[in-house]
Amino acid sequence: MAEQFKTAQELLEEANLKSLFDKRDGDRVTTLNKARDCSKLTIPSVLPDESFTEQTDLPDTYNSLGARAVNNLSNKLLLGLLPPSSAFFRLRQSEELEDEVEAGAEPSKEDTALEAQLSKLETKVMGKIEGSGMRPIVHQAFVHLIITGNAALLYDDGKMQMYKIDSYVVIRDFSGNITDVILKEKIAYEALPEDLMNTIDVTEEERKRDIELYTRYNRQGKDWLTYQEVKDTLVDGSEQTIKDKHMPLMVLRWTKINGENYGRGLVEQHLGDFRSLEGLTQMMLEYSAIAAKVIFGIVPGSVIEQDELEEVENGGVVIGNLEREVTRLAVDKQADLQIPMKLVEEITRRIGAAFLLQSTTTRDSERTTALEIQFLARELEDALGGIYSIIAQEFQLPLVNLLLQDMTYDLGDMVEPTITTGLNALGRTQDLEKLRQLNGLIAEVNPEYVMKYLNIEEYLVRIGSALGIKDVTSLFVSKEEVAQETQGQTDAGVPNVAPPEQTQG
């Protein structure tokens, strides 16, 4: 028996979106408070208090390491997951065609033409990304992910919009699949459709300020039902059914924890270090202000007057015995400041390592080698493997599908996008590095062995695979072509030339 799904009006009669949003918002008070604490210690403007307005002062921090660490990591994520010079995905043909090629069957002309069209389509999709101006929005989402652990991106009509964690509520099943999302935003009363203005009841005061607009995405089987509500009234024409593949809302999270509706940010994972750094920095600044203050005193009965001492210029003369009649009070506790200074340095290194700040993780030494820096960089990037896999599943793949749909390309099931950045790029980089190490180690033992016995064609194939280049062997001539050319030169009296595999290493 087929499952019966409810319409938007039936769902609205059960509970209006405002009351549903408020209820779910109250269930996550602890999550919001923790996210706001993380924001105060890094970038306070990311998630201020609920009562914040443009006239409200944001809390000041005593150090800028948190903001620098978050911006550094978000920039690296943006460049790594949305590279400006190349596509972050590849459109693959059907598995049937790949099996034919592996079995030795020659691809047809139609298959070759399709491959060329897919390559052009990848370029068009990247061009649309560059022209849509979505990069600053995505970067902002990465900042929110790092600090609060959550962010939502809505791609509609070729434009990207971001929602903070306090602007939406989400329900997930135990495995982390989204079942229901409600967005909350404010819109000017004059921007509402005219027929909706005549339907809802608003006071004169409400006409002068923004109206709350709620948008719901409710999963129904394999599809989504979406509709909007204003003042307990269903917005006419907002009810739509969307395929799961074309879901325009991407609810992102930094960590994936079964049984939890929201993620946890990287800042929360290192919140103890941020709090300790803030307290130590405040203490050191306050002590520095005290230590810099010097107070002069005059011994009772001295012939030196206070006004005379205050008005004397630098290098001036005052009548009296200054050593006996004038005293100085200053704090002399510089030695005690060494302990908090060392703690600050240690905490700075720990935070820098977690947020890929190379300047804080590389040891301060004249003998620091380039190999040490490269090894440290690879080690730090490998730590992001988990977040790369989550972002690929919840952001990159849905974004490609939405862009293809927006460009009216329906590729069906014969073509599927594959993410080539992030975790996949890390794996290819490691493969390439291992090939280099293997070649170098063998060459250290006997360079002639590499030159004589290395299978150049297979070596080129593996290098091309590690670099993400398809069919690299077509860039070079085959052994048969080399043999034919060599035989032709021999017949013509030209000295014989060794094949490429005999001269390369």
Side-chain angles (χ1 to χ4, degrees), residues 65 68-70 72-74 76-77 146 254 265-271 273-274 346-358 360-361 376 379-384 387:
L65 179 63
R68 186 160 64 96
V70 170
N72 172 76
L73 183 56
S74 60
K76 289 190 175 184
L77 286 175
I146 296 170
W254 184 263
L266 184 61
V267 174
E268 181 179 345
Q269 298 173 7
H270 301 271
L271 191 56
D273 280 343
F274 280 105
E346 176 62 26
I347 294 174
T348 299
R349 280 194 294 268
R350 292 203 299 257
I351 294 177
F355 290 80
L356 307 190
L357 279 172
Q358 183 176 329
T360 62
T361 55
L376 180 60
E379 184 180 18
L380 295 177
E381 290 178 355
D382 291 346
L384 292 178
I387 184 60

Side-chain angles (χ1 to χ4, degrees), residues 138-238:
V138 175
H139 175 266
Q140 187 181 11
F142 287 161
V143 170
H144 280 258
L145 280 177
I146 296 170
I147 296 177
T148 69
N150 301 271
L153 290 171
L154 178 65
Y155 182 78
D156 189 23
D157 292 335
K159 297 181 180 179
M160 186 77 78
Q161 185 175 355
M162 195 213 74
Y163 293 87
K164 300 187 294 184
I165 183 178
D166 59 351
S167 300
Y168 68 90
V169 291
V170 59
I171 299 296
R172 301 177 187 267
D173 59 19
F174 183 78
S175 300
N177 301 313
I178 300 174
T179 59
D180 200 14
V181 187
I182 301 177
L183 301 176
K184 176 184 176 181
E185 51 190 326
K186 293 186 176 181
I187 185 173
Y189 176 78
E190 293 78 8
L192 296 174
E194 185 176 354
D195 55 346
L196 185 60
M197 289 183 182
N198 300 329
T199 305
I200 62 177
D201 296 328
V202 293
T203 62
E204 289 297 328
E205 185 65 25
E206 289 176 333
R207 293 175 184 269
K208 299 178 182 179
R209 61 174 188 262
D210 294 339
I211 303 294
E212 291 182 348
L213 171 66
Y214 294 89
T215 306
R216 185 178 189 180
Y217 293 88
N218 181 257
R219 180 182 288 277
Q220 298 195 356
K222 296 183 179 180
D223 298 331
W224 291 87
L225 174 67
T226 177
Y227 62 95
Q228 293 180 319
E229 172 197 313
V230 175
K231 299 286 289 185
D232 301 339
T233 303
L234 180 65
V235 178
D236 188 28
S238 64

Side-chain angles (χ1 to χ4, degrees), residues 355-425:
F355 290 80
L356 307 190
L357 279 172
Q358 183 176 329
S359 59
T360 62
T361 55
T362 305
R363 63 186 177 94
D364 187 10
S365 172
E366 295 180 357
R367 298 183 179 181
T368 302
T369 63
L371 181 61
E372 180 181 354
I373 295 177
Q374 293 174 3
F375 177 79
L376 180 60
R378 289 196 303 270
E379 184 180 18
L380 295 177
E381 290 178 355
D382 291 346
L384 292 178
I387 184 60
Y388 280 157
S389 60
I390 295 176
I391 292 180
Q393 179 183 1
E394 298 185 354
F395 169 64
Q396 290 179 300
L397 279 176
L399 178 62
V400 174
N401 291 325
L402 289 172
L403 289 170
L404 292 173
Q405 181 202 17
D406 193 31
M407 300 170 66
T408 66
Y409 288 103
D410 188 7
L411 302 179
D413 298 330
M414 299 301 294
V415 176
E416 59 180 6
T418 302
I419 303 302
T420 58
T421 59
L423 192 61
N424 293 330

Side-chain angles (χ1 to χ4, degrees), residues 448-466:
E448 296 181 357
Y449 184 89
V450 177
M451 297 172 61
K452 185 175 182 180
Y453 296 103
L454 179 64
N455 188 333
I456 294 296
E457 290 186 0
E458 181 64 21
Y459 189 69
L460 292 176
V461 168
R462 298 198 180 190
I463 290 179
S465 177

